[in-house]
Amino acid sequence: MIELRRTVFAMFLSMVIFGIVSASVMGGEGKITGSSGISGGWSEEMGYYTNESVDGIVTMASNSPDNHKATKKYREAGSNLETNLIGETWWSDEYHYTRARFEYVWPLSGNFADTGRIWGWDYTRAETEYVIADFSVAHTYWGN
């Protein structure tokens, strides 16, 4: 019985790790569409990152925000722990967006508590509602 529990736990752990790797490789918002642009953000599995695409080739960015910050807050709601995600971007004289969302880990797919792109000049802030974020990874994004 103990051996069965260890096997099930090992399988579950493998699925979680595979999901995190898959999310970082196949994440939707981090990819840039179009001929040129700059984007980046923060994720729990990768930390902060920046990338740029010129004619579909991703390179390191030459222009990026002055600062981008991701913050997670927690609160208890009965017996549940709820999480709130905030993305903030400071980018002087640049029209840009910030986005915050939770993305499910494999084998689940999709995302929830997505703020969408919040556009503005100089400073943008995207904040999700408090949610039960089990089986998910927090991501914030910025771009122009």
Side-chain angles (χ1 to χ4, degrees):
M1 186 64 165
I2 292 174
E3 192 63 26
L4 177 62
R5 286 183 184 169
R6 286 183 183 164
T7 302
V8 170
F9 178 76
M11 289 173 53
F12 175 77
L13 187 59
S14 297
M15 288 189 302
V16 169
I17 291 170
F18 179 79
I20 290 171
V21 171
S22 297
S24 66
V25 171
M26 299 182 295
E29 185 71 19
K31 292 183 180 178
I32 301 172
T33 58
S35 62
S36 67
I38 184 169
S39 67
W42 170 87
S43 68
E44 287 182 304
E45 71 270 359
M46 293 178 11
Y48 290 94
Y49 64 91
T50 302
N51 55 43
E52 183 177 18
S53 176
V54 178
D55 295 325
I57 300 170
V58 175
T59 61
M60 291 306 293
S62 58
N63 180 23
S64 59
D66 302 321
N67 192 19
H68 177 76
K69 180 181 175 185
T71 307
K72 286 176 68 176
K73 294 182 179 179
Y74 303 92
R75 74 176 184 194
E76 289 184 19
S79 61
N80 296 315
L81 181 65
E82 295 181 331
T83 308
N84 163 268
L85 179 62
I86 302 166
E88 298 174 284
T89 306
W90 294 263
W91 201 341
S92 298
D93 301 321
E94 185 73 32
Y95 189 66
H96 67 278
Y97 69 86
T98 301
R99 184 178 199 166
R101 72 181 180 193
F102 292 96
E103 299 175 5
Y104 287 113
V105 295
W106 187 89
L108 305 173
S109 63
N111 58 70
F112 63 100
D114 189 344
T115 63
R117 293 178 176 185
I118 308 299
W119 289 89
W121 288 94
D122 298 322
Y123 171 78
T124 53
R125 175 186 169 103
E127 181 173 357
T128 68
E129 66 269 16
Y130 276 90
V131 296
I132 299 171
D134 297 339
F135 307 109
S136 70
V137 178
H139 289 265
T140 62
Y141 301 100
W142 58 262
N144 64 353

